[in-house]
Amino acid sequence: MSKKLFLLDAYALIFRSHYAFIRNPRFNSKGMNTSAIFGFVNTLEDLIKRENPTHLGVAFDLRVPTFRHEMFAEYKANRDATPEDIIAAVPYIKNILRAYNIPILEKERFEADDVIGTLAKKAEQHGFTVYMVTPDKDYGQLVSDNIFMYKPRRGDNLLEVVGKTEICKYYSIADPMQVKDILALWGDVSDNIPGAPGIGEKTAIKLISEFGSVENVFANSSKLKGKQRESIEQNQALVERAKILVTIALDVPIDFNEDDLVLNAPDKDKLKSLFDELDFRMLSQKLFSETSQPSQIQAKPTVQQQHQQLDLFGTPIVAVENVMIENFLTVGTVPHHYEAVVTSKQRTELIEKLSSLSEFCFDTETTGLDTIDSEIVGMSFSYIEHEAYYVPVPAERGDAMALVSEFKAVFENGNIGKTGQNIKFDILMLKSYGINVSGRIFDTMLAHYLIQPELRHNMNFLAETYLNYSPVPIENLIGKKGRNQLNMRDVPLDQIAEYAAEDADVTWQLKNKLEPELKKNNLINLSVNIEMPLVNVLADIEYTGVSIDSDALNKYAVQLTEDIIETEKNIFELAGMEFNIASPKQLGEVLFDKLKISVDAKKTKSEQYSTGEEILEKLAGEHPIIDKILEYRSLRKLLSTYIEALPKLVNAKTNKIHASFNQAVTSTGRLSSNNPNLQNIPVREARGREIRKAFIPSDADHFFLSADYSQVELRIMAHLSKDPHMLEAFKNNEDIHTATASKIYGIPLTEVTNDMRRKAKTANFGIIYGISAFGLAQRLSISRSEAKQLIDGYFTNYPHVREYMEKSIREARDKGYVETIMGRRRYLADINSRNAMTRGFAERNAINAPIQGSAADIIKLAMVNIHKQFSKHNLQSKMVMQVHDELNFDVLKSEVEQVKEIVRYEMQNAVSLAVPLTVEIGIGMNWLEAH
């Protein structure tokens, strides 16, 4: 049998794994980022199964200087600090390798590539075929007849084995050893190794292809021309040093003992223990399960595969779990009973059973995700683990209404609890069939959001994490998104019954796992009294929708277009030429090459000037064109994002906009919204406020009512900090910003100017978000010394605020999280980070999260209580929007006073604070008039 040695460059693979999951990182139930570990282990498993190596070793860099640092102090000095998540992952990876009985290879003063290079050459002499597992181009110099690179191929999902032929062809060289000559001329930016200035990869390849080595390039420099010759002749020492630095050492004092590198069987107990700690349940099952079942549908991929994640070789990561489509099936060793309920008699029996229960889980299958226009294809129910029932719903609307109505009494029974995953969607679907779901709500998505707000909350992720199970992805039934995707009505009954019943069953199982977790983390009050009841409130808001004056928006679009044309004309006049303002390249050239507004303008990697919002805002006032460009961008955004977009969101059936409100998105607890994003509608500028004019009552018999908390976050700060001066100001109903200015500047309230109040207001809100003197100076366009005086004056007069901030950071360091007044948690994994910038961000969150989260809890509780009162008094008025600290209503004119009384009372008495909560209420014929 031929001897195959695989040598892995650990950190190259670990970093690649970490960043492969950067948009959808994996976390275990303890909140640890396990992306790098998961990717590395999948790579290792993939390699072992695919290649069946006889020998294997993994080389690590040690976190100490190498001989290259001794030679060149700036070696790798440009690299960012290693992410904390990777530092935390490495000990686990090493323990996993020990459990696999795979040797860890490392040597002081040398890097992993030196260790691999030395062992690869020694192994070759002992008759091995060696594969160096790394994407690093430097390894090309080591390739020989029996030594290969094993790496992902660019642009597709295939791996690539690179040998002498491929290296020589790519670099147009005769011998792979010449790679180091190319790198010496070219330099290595990633390692901060300078080559010959002005010599890029193509030129370096051309020179080495022609002359064979850097030494011969120097000897023949007279044959070169112009700047190329100048660069070579003037930088010989630089290039000679670069060649030494890029040359992989082959004389590392490390023994080659092939017996030590033999791939043996892993220690399964140790490995399983580690996988359990990391919550790699699917991986553990794949590696250690002794039985598998035949499959009649596609294998179920993990969450990562659904997000198109690839392993380090570009191959999809697959954790296979097979399922049979039968009424009675087995997944692993767990029996399931899923049944299609198709006859009237079967439905009656199911309804009778559901009616006798204290709670059950349900789910709907639909033709789409738009709850206004989509139709129900079927309903599934579960109330016993591993058992579920699917009820198909006919396509014809009349028949569908009749069948769904059979379940009306059980859905509307307030004594029966209802469980679901993202249950608001199902509640909204049933509303369009005349059913108002009642009873205690339990949403598994929201339960997990409360337990681990920073993680993902989709059913597949939860099933893998808590149930060691991977549900069938919908793509297996209807295909991927796109023109050829099927409709759920196109799916055969046996397949859709299996899929839908599984959803209900898995959700029911998750409920039984998550409810105890809520109790353990003291989150029951938050769950039962705020998040779960809010589901029905938001469902009503979304179903009701809000009316839009599309004609007014269309007219405003014409005006804005004229303003844009005029602004564009002004910019061209100031520039002295016409150009594409939307082109960063052209704009940068105009601002910094032609007008020379800044002598130290930054450039991007593509060698064009940075012209982002932050850059231009810093340059505001340097030249009139800057303000005009910012104005131009603001107008364009206003027009495209809102003025032109809002009329397109009006539903043809209802003539209203039905925004979606999301409870499980922000880590602070605040609601977010989309289609449209109401939270981002601009209000600071007059043009932005005009958008609010377009939000109108439903008809002439209604008013638009707006109720807005006054300075709620500052009141919460006063409550949490117990600062006597701040408490006094609010209790005396003083203007807090004027009171703050009075104290900072040491003058009576009556002498505070508008400018002083403006600065105090910015300081008040900025300090909640941990603003620095530099940040405050930028915000107020004042000197840093004046900003520092403002902040120092603030803390001198409000000393308990500083104490609160310091206490919040201390508690976060001790516990790893902070809490709101009502117990909502914000986990801060980086609060003890050694990276000052990362730690600083976590510290600011430690200060702000309890304040912002408490504000979110308060308005959510107010919404729940207002909704109850509207229902209790049978009011026709409706809550239609929530935007930050503001609630908006479509109010029947005859109910105005009653609504004002209910709204004011419930908002001001949602919680009891050390200072009063005050609410400003306005009424008008549009949102702008009301607010």
Side-chain angles (χ1 to χ4, degrees):
M1 180 179 176
S2 63
K3 297 186 291 186
K4 292 199 299 183
L5 169 62
F6 280 76
L7 296 171
L8 282 64
D9 184 342
Y11 273 103
L13 304 181
I14 290 167
F15 270 84
R16 191 174 174 88
S17 276
H18 175 77
Y19 287 106
F21 290 94
I22 199 70
R23 291 190 178 181
N24 292 288
R26 290 183 62 95
F27 291 88
N28 67 358
S29 56
K30 296 174 183 174
M32 177 186 179
N33 186 329
T34 59
S35 302
I37 310 170
F38 182 79
F40 186 90
V41 173
N42 268 284
T43 298
L44 190 62
E45 273 298 311
D46 180 84
L47 185 150
I48 292 170
K49 285 185 169 54
R50 188 194 298 270
E51 302 297 342
N52 193 26
T54 59
H55 298 70
L56 195 148
V58 180
F60 283 81
D61 296 317
L62 291 170
R63 295 173 64 82
V64 293
T66 68
F67 74 90
R68 292 181 179 88
H69 294 92
E70 294 166 7
M71 178 183 180
F72 179 45
E74 297 302 308
Y75 180 63
K76 293 189 177 180
N78 60 334
R79 291 198 175 181
D80 294 333
T82 302
E84 296 287 331
D85 290 330
I86 288 180
I87 292 172
V90 169
Y92 281 92
I93 290 172
K94 286 188 173 181
N95 284 335
I96 287 168
L97 289 171
R98 293 183 185 108
Y100 268 104
N101 290 313
I102 292 171
I104 293 167
L105 312 169
E106 51 194 15
K107 195 71 178 176
E108 284 192 11
R109 295 187 68 249
F110 294 92
E111 296 178 67
D113 46 3
D114 300 317
V115 171
I116 288 174
T118 300
L119 292 176
K121 293 299 181 182
K122 288 183 178 181
E124 183 180 31
Q125 293 170 10
H126 285 75
F128 279 83
T129 301
V130 184
Y131 296 90
M132 304 174 295
V133 185
T134 177
D136 191 339
K137 65 182 183 298
D138 293 9
Y139 283 81
Q141 64 187 272
L142 300 174
V143 169
S144 68
D145 291 335
N146 298 300
I147 300 176
F148 301 87
M149 288 181 69
Y150 191 89
K151 60 191 284 290
R153 193 168 79 182
R154 289 187 180 183
D156 56 33
N157 294 342
L158 301 175
L159 60 86
E160 189 175 11
V161 176
V162 179
K164 282 179 65 175
T165 302
E166 291 78 17
I167 290 290
C168 291
K169 182 180 178 181
Y170 179 82
Y171 288 110
S172 301
I173 52 180
D175 189 323
M177 290 183 68
Q178 292 173 293
V179 167
K180 56 193 176 189
D181 292 276
I182 292 170
L183 294 175
L185 284 174
W186 175 17
D188 191 334
V189 175
S190 65
D191 286 344
N192 198 36
I193 301 173
I199 305 294
E201 181 183 18
K202 289 182 180 179
T203 306
I205 288 173
K206 182 182 176 184
L207 291 172
I208 299 303
S209 176
E210 182 177 353
F211 297 108
S213 69
V214 291
E215 291 78 11
N216 285 340
V217 171
F218 298 142
N220 292 277
S221 63
S222 60
K223 297 178 181 178
L224 305 179
K225 295 179 181 179
K227 289 186 177 180
Q228 196 176 93
R229 175 177 177 176
E230 185 180 313
S231 178
I232 294 296
E233 291 181 344
Q234 291 181 4
N235 293 283
Q236 183 171 343
L238 207 63
V239 174
E240 287 173 343
R241 183 182 65 187
K243 185 170 180 178
I244 297 171
L245 292 171
V246 301
T247 298
I248 293 175
L250 302 180
D251 57 352
V252 176
I254 186 169
D255 293 332
F256 174 74
N257 187 330
E258 61 182 85
D259 292 338
D260 292 342
L261 295 165
V262 171
L263 183 60
N264 294 307
D267 184 327
K268 289 190 175 183
D269 290 338
K270 284 184 181 178
L271 208 50
K272 190 172 188 309
S273 175
L274 283 164
F275 286 175
D276 288 346
E277 182 182 351
L278 294 164
D279 291 341
F280 291 173
R281 294 186 177 90
M282 289 301 297
L283 191 57
S284 183
Q285 184 181 1
K286 183 176 75 170
L287 296 180
F288 304 118
S289 63
E290 296 179 0
T291 60
S292 61
Q293 302 296 321
S295 174
Q296 295 183 18
I297 63 173
Q298 297 177 42
K300 301 179 180 184
T302 62
V303 174
Q304 283 67 37
Q305 190 181 9
Q306 291 182 59
H307 286 291
Q308 298 300 302
Q309 294 289 1
L310 306 177
D311 74 7
L312 301 185
F313 304 103
T315 307
I317 298 166
V318 181
V320 178
E321 186 167 353
N322 297 319
V323 185
M324 291 184 68
I325 303 177
E326 296 178 354
N327 281 346
F328 185 86
L329 70 154
T330 299
V331 179
T333 58
V334 183
H336 289 55
H337 182 76
Y338 295 164
E339 188 176 320
V341 177
V342 294
T343 68
S344 176
K345 181 175 181 297
Q346 287 175 316
R347 290 197 299 274
T348 300
E349 290 173 353
L350 177 60
I351 291 166
E352 287 176 354
K353 180 61 183 175
L354 294 174
S355 300
S356 69
L357 300 171
S358 61
E359 57 185 335
F360 62 81
C361 175
F362 78 97
D363 184 50
T364 60
E365 300 306 325
T366 64
T367 57
L369 299 178
D370 185 326
T371 56
I372 302 296
D373 296 323
S374 299
E375 298 173 348
I376 295 178
V377 175
M379 303 177 291
S380 53
F381 301 88
S382 181
Y383 49 86
I384 298 174
E385 290 193 2
H386 314 302
E387 184 176 312
Y389 300 86
Y390 175 72
V391 181
V393 173
E396 204 282 321
R397 183 70 180 180
D399 294 340
M401 290 289 290
L403 188 147
V404 174
S405 293
E406 294 177 19
F407 291 81
K408 184 178 176 69
V410 72
F411 275 127
E412 294 188 346
N413 188 329
N415 295 318
I416 303 175
K418 315 297 189 302
T419 292
Q421 165 74 16
N422 189 16
I423 199 171
K424 174 162 65 74
F425 176 85
D426 306 294
I427 290 171
L428 280 164
M429 288 305 306
L430 289 171
K431 274 184 179 293
S432 64
Y433 286 75
I435 293 174
N436 292 304
V437 175
S438 299
R440 184 177 72 91
I441 294 294
F442 190 95
D443 189 323
T444 50
M445 176 184 75
L446 296 179
H448 188 253
Y449 170 67
L450 290 174
I451 296 163
Q452 288 283 3
E454 305 282 350
L455 304 189
R456 286 168 287 163
H457 316 293
N458 63 72
M459 189 181 75
N460 286 30
F461 176 77
L462 298 183
E464 287 185 15
T465 302
Y466 290 94
L467 306 177
N468 189 28
Y469 186 76
S470 184
V472 174
I474 194 170
E475 289 83 2
N476 281 10
L477 278 72
I478 61 175
K480 293 181 180 179
K481 286 182 180 180
R483 191 181 304 171
N484 297 322
Q485 190 177 50
L486 301 176
N487 187 291
M488 286 297 274
R489 288 206 189 278
D490 301 323
V491 180
L493 177 61
D494 59 347
Q495 289 187 32
I496 196 172
E498 178 71 19
Y499 171 84
E502 181 188 64
D503 276 1
D505 173 26
V506 167
T507 302
W508 181 252
Q509 291 181 57
L510 286 171
K511 186 254 185 189
N512 294 333
K513 294 282 188 183
L514 293 170
E515 200 163 33
E517 288 290 311
L518 289 172
K519 291 176 182 174
K520 187 172 79 175
N521 291 284
N522 297 317
L523 294 166
I524 286 293
N525 176 54
L526 197 59
S527 171
V528 171
N529 295 319
I530 298 181
E531 292 295 350
M532 302 304 176
L534 187 64
V535 171
N536 265 318
V537 179
L538 295 178
D540 275 356
I541 289 174
E542 292 181 24
Y543 186 75
T544 301
V546 63
S547 296
I548 293 290
D549 187 346
S550 295
D551 290 339
L553 284 173
N554 291 333
K555 288 177 183 175
Y556 192 38
V558 173
Q559 181 187 327
L560 272 185
T561 302
E562 291 174 355
D563 291 347
I564 289 169
I565 293 169
E566 182 63 26
T567 305
E568 186 179 59
K569 183 180 174 184
N570 293 336
I571 291 169
F572 293 158
E573 288 175 356
L574 289 165
M577 61 179 287
E578 292 191 8
F579 63 99
N580 182 358
I581 302 170
S583 164
K585 184 176 185 296
Q586 292 185 35
L587 178 60
E589 289 170 353
V590 168
L591 296 182
F592 305 120
D593 288 340
K594 187 174 189 296
L595 300 179
K596 302 189 184 304
I597 291 174
S598 175
V599 293
D600 58 350
K602 293 181 180 178
K603 287 191 175 184
T604 64
K605 289 181 180 178
S606 58
E607 285 301 306
Q608 65 183 38
Y609 290 107
S610 298
T611 57
E613 207 77 5
E614 287 185 10
I615 300 291
L616 295 188
E617 283 178 356
K618 287 178 183 177
L619 295 172
E622 296 292 325
H623 192 287
I625 198 171
I626 299 294
D627 291 331
K628 284 296 177 182
I629 290 166
L630 289 171
E631 182 184 359
Y632 175 83
R633 286 182 175 179
S634 174
L635 290 170
R636 289 296 297 263
K637 183 178 180 180
L638 206 58
L639 183 64
S640 61
T641 307
Y642 297 104
I643 308 301
E644 292 177 339
L646 285 172
K648 295 174 184 175
L649 293 173
V650 174
N651 185 275
K653 286 183 183 177
T654 65
N655 286 320
K656 290 182 177 182
I657 281 179
H658 300 267
S660 295
F661 289 85
N662 313 302
Q663 285 175 262
V665 172
T666 69
S667 51
T668 60
R670 280 196 177 275
L671 291 172
S672 68
S673 59
N674 59 297
N675 295 322
N677 181 352
L678 298 168
Q679 320 296 328
N680 276 0
I681 290 179
V683 294
R684 289 183 181 178
E685 297 178 1
R687 283 176 174 137
R689 287 194 292 272
E690 282 293 311
I691 297 172
R692 291 195 171 204
K693 267 190 184 177
F695 288 79
I696 57 175
S698 54
D699 56 38
D701 294 328
H702 288 74
F703 282 127
F704 199 101
L705 185 146
S706 171
D708 190 15
Y709 277 117
S710 172
Q711 299 163 347
V712 65
E713 290 189 352
L714 293 177
R715 292 172 190 272
I716 292 167
M717 172 63 95
H719 172 81
L720 292 173
S721 69
K722 301 293 188 291
D723 188 275
H725 292 154
M726 196 173 275
L727 291 173
E728 182 185 19
F730 279 122
K731 286 176 179 177
N732 293 340
N733 201 28
E734 294 175 3
D735 177 88
I736 188 65
H737 305 311
T738 303
T740 300
S742 170
K743 294 192 184 309
I744 290 175
Y745 293 104
I747 57 175
L749 290 169
T750 54
E751 293 181 17
V752 172
T753 65
N754 288 336
D755 185 58
M756 289 175 178
R757 184 185 182 278
R758 176 181 68 87
K759 290 175 180 177
K761 180 179 179 180
T762 305
N764 269 328
F765 286 113
I767 283 165
I768 289 176
Y769 290 91
I771 199 168
S772 64
F774 176 75
L776 188 61
Q778 280 198 313
R779 189 90 54 93
L780 291 172
S781 298
I782 58 177
S783 68
R784 200 178 300 186
S785 60
E786 185 181 350
K788 185 179 184 301
Q789 288 175 356
L790 267 173
I791 292 174
D792 290 345
Y794 183 97
F795 286 128
T796 299
N797 287 281
Y798 296 130
H800 286 65
V801 171
R802 186 190 287 277
E803 289 173 15
Y804 159 77
M805 294 166 73
E806 291 171 348
K807 180 185 174 187
S808 291
I809 293 170
R810 280 198 309 274
E811 289 183 354
R813 287 194 180 124
D814 291 341
K815 298 178 181 177
Y817 63 85
V818 289
E819 290 181 303
T820 66
I821 294 168
M822 297 181 187
R824 183 186 302 277
R825 292 183 180 181
R826 173 79 186 271
Y827 290 91
L828 301 166
D830 296 322
I831 193 67
N832 292 307
S833 171
R834 289 190 292 271
N835 183 298
M837 188 175 292
T838 303
R839 185 179 65 252
F841 182 74
E843 288 173 350
R844 289 191 292 276
N845 279 330
I847 297 164
N848 177 252
I851 298 169
Q852 198 174 110
S854 293
D857 293 343
I858 289 168
I859 198 164
K860 283 179 174 179
L861 186 56
M863 292 170 74
V864 170
N865 293 337
I866 290 167
H867 190 261
K868 285 179 184 175
Q869 290 299 317
F870 277 22
S871 178
K872 177 182 176 181
H873 295 285
N874 295 313
L875 298 183
Q876 295 180 50
S877 300
K878 295 285 187 181
M879 195 183 310
V880 293
M881 291 193 300
Q882 187 268 10
V883 183
H884 300 304
D885 303 319
E886 176 186 359
L887 298 179
N888 297 288
F889 302 84
D890 186 47
V891 181
L892 193 66
K893 289 180 176 178
S894 60
E895 296 175 351
V896 166
E897 292 308 315
Q898 191 176 9
V899 167
K900 284 172 69 175
E901 184 180 343
I902 290 171
V903 169
R904 189 182 302 278
Y905 180 83
E906 297 300 345
M907 288 182 74
Q908 292 186 169
N909 293 278
V911 295
S912 177
L913 299 181
V915 295
L917 282 170
T918 61
V919 175
E920 297 171 357
I921 294 179
I923 294 174
M925 291 312 297
N926 59 59
W927 188 8
L928 185 62
E929 280 186 16
H931 186 79

